[in-house]
Amino acid sequence: QEQMVESGGGLVQPGSSLRLSCTGSGFRFDDYSIGWFRQAPGKQREAVVCISSSDRLAYYGDAVKDRFAIYVDAAKNFLGLNMNSLQPNVTAVYYCATALSCPLLSSDPLYWGQGTQVTVSS
């Protein structure tokens, strides 16, 4: 059975860093586009970053460029997200997910986890 499990969220102060982790089972990371999306209270899902299945390049949302970095170990079905210089506007539940293509990551994911809460507050 396909499963993804996130961890690493928490409550941090502005300017802090966090590292999110995600492990998958029941499928191969290399077979899909894979990445992270988030959902803040009262808002729609928003793609954060995605590694495309076609070129294996990472595509970042404008809001997180230069502050977030995705990394993957496909052999271990492991996906990580380094988040730096965090500000309150990134507060959301973060989900790792797979999709047939990156534009579908947040709108029509194939597999995704239960999410991990990231809260940035002083």
Side-chain angles (χ1 to χ4, degrees):
Q1 183 175 353
E2 299 83 4
Q3 188 176 19
M4 302 184 81
V5 179
E6 305 94 339
S7 63
L11 171 63
V12 297
Q13 293 190 338
S16 299
S17 298
L18 270 178
R19 177 177 295 179
L20 305 184
S21 299
C22 171
T23 55
S25 58
F27 63 97
R28 284 167 26 97
F29 275 21
D30 279 345
D31 290 343
Y32 303 100
S33 294
I34 188 164
W36 297 85
F37 68 84
R38 65 188 179 188
Q39 188 163 24
K43 295 188 177 180
Q44 291 188 334
R45 291 176 182 173
E46 176 188 16
V48 175
V49 57
C50 180
I51 296 176
S52 171
S53 59
S54 60
D55 57 18
R56 307 317 296 178
L57 295 177
Y59 295 90
Y60 290 87
D62 289 340
V64 303
K65 274 182 185 177
D66 302 323
R67 293 188 295 129
F68 289 12
I70 191 171
Y71 56 100
V72 60
D73 185 338
K76 298 180 179 179
N77 265 20
F78 177 84
L79 186 70
L81 183 67
N82 286 331
M83 309 164 66
N84 299 311
S85 302
L86 293 171
Q87 297 300 320
N89 61 2
V90 307
T91 294
V93 179
Y94 284 72
Y95 301 84
C96 60
T98 64
L100 294 179
S101 65
C102 282
L104 297 177
L105 186 74
S106 60
S107 61
D108 192 18
L110 291 172
Y111 314 125
W112 65 98
Q114 81 288 349
T116 186
Q117 176 72 47
V118 172
T119 302
V120 183
S121 175
S122 56

